[in-house]
Amino acid sequence: MLQTERLRIAIQKSGRLHENSIELLNRCGIKFHFSKNALLLHAENLPIDILLVRDDDIPTLVMDDICDLGIVGENILLEKKLYKLNNGDNPNFTIVNKLDSSRCRLAIAVPEDREFIDVSSLQGLRIATSYPNLLQQFLDEQQINAEILNISGSVEIAPRLGMADAICDLVSTGRTLEENNLTEVYTLIQSQAVLIQTNKKLKDNKEKIKSLLLQRVLGVLKAKESKYIMFHAPKKSLNDLKSLLPGFETPTIMPLEGIQDRVAVHVVSTEGVFWETVEKLKQAGANSILVLPIEKMMN
Ligand code: ATP
Ligand code: ZN
């Protein structure tokens, strides 16, 4: 078993998860020099190493305790988990947090000219996918007999090449499907990026740095959806204004120099703020309304 004093985090080397993973680590205050061909980045200000790998390897690196944490899509994670279970292994990991990024879904799509009434229309078809375990589980649940063609990339061209009658692949906007004359017919799972950790107990010093990092991750996620709002309002409307602000913490109310009947209100919203809320505040008598992003939060 590999032992290191530095906390090791696996993230995708390049691709759809990479940018968001780097951004999250940066926002957690981890300082490192990113160089394009590096496979391991040493943080300069904390005992943390970042391993840059293919996303498919991240669940195994964490489950096998090579890395302590990893950032990966639920799609890959669930497929690897099922693969392990199907092979009698214990998938040894915990999801620490969903990261609300890299959202997509694993869906079945058929050529536009193929009739699809319900999932029973898949009976007897050849379905191409890179997710054979998730697809097999779904087919078993639905009691459908279909042939799974396991291919690792460019799944969407399999029907045009005559290799398959349908596909089961990741979709986000649906543009790739459209370009290949495929229609999405059924969603197996919704997916987003998640932070995972090994279940193994870490040495004290590593456990400490992990707790610090996880607390910062929570702070970053909370700050991302929170806003700081400031406005001026008539004292007599304060109760009405408060009722327009669900999900807001206790407001700070301050006097305005030389003005008796109006006050300044500062409040944090943990749920995001829409234009509609700002418009309603204005209608209820507020003015000078400012909505600011929050960079860090800790309670
Ligand atoms: P790698 O070289 O790391 O194996 P990859 O080609 O398998 O890269 P990407 O295409 O970069 O992977 O996608 C990485 C992850 O991004 C996916 O596993 C999924 O969680 C997420 N994702 C979000 N939207 C999409 C999409 N439209 N197509 C594919 N993946 C998506
Ligand atoms: Zn991959």
Side-chain angles (χ1 to χ4, degrees):
M1 192 83 26
L2 218 65
Q3 288 288 349
T4 159
E5 297 301 308
R6 294 171 71 84
L7 193 75
R8 195 175 280 169
I9 310 171
I11 66 167
Q12 191 190 29
K13 182 165 173 18
S14 65
R16 288 182 162 102
L17 291 162
H18 175 79
E19 297 272 317
N20 286 337
S21 307
I22 292 283
E23 192 195 326
L24 176 65
L25 298 178
N26 275 329
R27 293 190 69 184
C28 286
I30 306 176
K31 292 202 165 55
F32 49 85
H33 280 297
F34 182 72
S35 75
K36 210 163 178 278
N37 295 318
L39 298 175
L40 193 66
L41 307 174
H42 296 282
E44 294 155 12
N45 57 337
L46 288 164
I48 294 177
D49 287 341
I50 299 158
L51 198 63
L52 299 158
V53 292
R54 287 198 59 195
D55 65 345
D56 312 66
D57 296 332
I58 294 171
T60 315
L61 285 168
V62 173
M63 289 184 215
D64 291 353
D65 295 328
I66 309 292
C67 291
D68 309 300
L69 295 168
I71 297 176
V72 68
E74 286 174 295
N75 49 307
I76 296 275
L77 184 64
L78 295 175
E79 174 66 18
K80 296 283 173 197
K81 176 181 170 184
L82 213 49
Y83 172 81
K84 283 232 173 202
L85 285 171
N86 290 344
N87 286 284
D89 280 347
N90 184 17
N92 209 7
F93 71 93
T94 312
I95 295 183
V96 188
N97 264 111
K98 299 201 176 202
L99 300 177
D100 191 26
S101 59
S102 307
R103 285 184 183 274
C104 58
R105 53 196 182 274
L106 182 65
I108 293 187
V110 297
E112 282 162 4
D113 53 8
R114 174 175 284 279
E115 186 178 57
F116 182 92
I117 298 159
D118 57 29
V119 286
S120 69
S121 306
L122 299 172
Q123 186 70 30
L125 301 191
R126 292 166 305 162
I127 311 175
T129 191
S130 309
Y131 297 84
N133 291 283
L134 285 171
L135 177 58
Q136 189 63 61
Q137 176 178 261
F138 165 74
L139 294 172
D140 290 347
E141 278 164 13
Q142 301 285 337
Q143 299 181 333
I144 286 166
N145 250 321
E147 187 189 331
I148 295 177
L149 190 70
N150 186 4
I151 49 181
S152 59
S154 304
V155 171
E156 64 281 356
I157 60 165
R160 253 197 298 159
L161 298 178
M163 293 161 67
D165 310 302
I167 67 165
C168 174
D169 202 10
L170 295 180
V171 186
S172 49
T173 60
R175 218 182 53 222
T176 310
L177 293 183
E178 220 172 278
E179 283 165 8
N180 288 282
N181 303 324
L182 296 165
T183 308
E184 188 177 345
V185 292
Y186 197 92
T187 301
L188 267 64
I189 56 161
Q190 297 284 351
S191 174
Q192 60 178 292
V194 289
L195 176 67
I196 56 171
Q197 67 175 345
T198 159
N199 285 341
K200 200 183 107 191
K201 174 131 184 45
L202 303 182
K203 283 188 185 170
D204 277 357
N205 56 336
K206 260 186 155 189
E207 192 58 50
K208 256 192 221 153
I209 185 77
K210 189 175 90 174
S211 314
L212 176 106
L213 181 64
L214 297 189
Q215 204 174 30
R216 288 188 185 183
V217 169
L218 279 182
V220 169
L221 294 176
K222 211 168 158 205
K224 212 163 104 180
E225 56 197 36
S226 300
K227 294 281 180 269
Y228 193 84
I229 304 164
M230 304 189 280
F231 55 85
H232 294 173
K235 274 184 190 165
K236 62 177 170 38
S237 313
L238 280 179
N239 277 339
D240 290 350
L241 288 160
K242 275 188 207 159
S243 69
L244 293 173
L245 300 170
F248 286 70
E249 288 170 6
T250 323
T252 308
I253 316 263
M254 286 163 287
L256 286 169
E257 183 73 22
I259 303 173
Q260 294 304 315
D261 55 342
R262 292 178 76 80
V263 283
V265 182
H266 287 203
V267 66
V268 170
S269 155
T270 49
E271 285 181 12
V273 177
F274 300 102
W275 271 111
E276 286 74 6
T277 309
V278 177
E279 285 153 4
K280 280 184 190 155
L281 288 174
K282 173 117 185 112
Q283 279 159 19
N287 69 351
S288 303
I289 307 168
L290 290 179
V291 181
L292 308 173
I294 293 174
E295 199 179 282
K296 296 180 181 66
M297 265 180 117
M298 190 174 284
N299 285 331

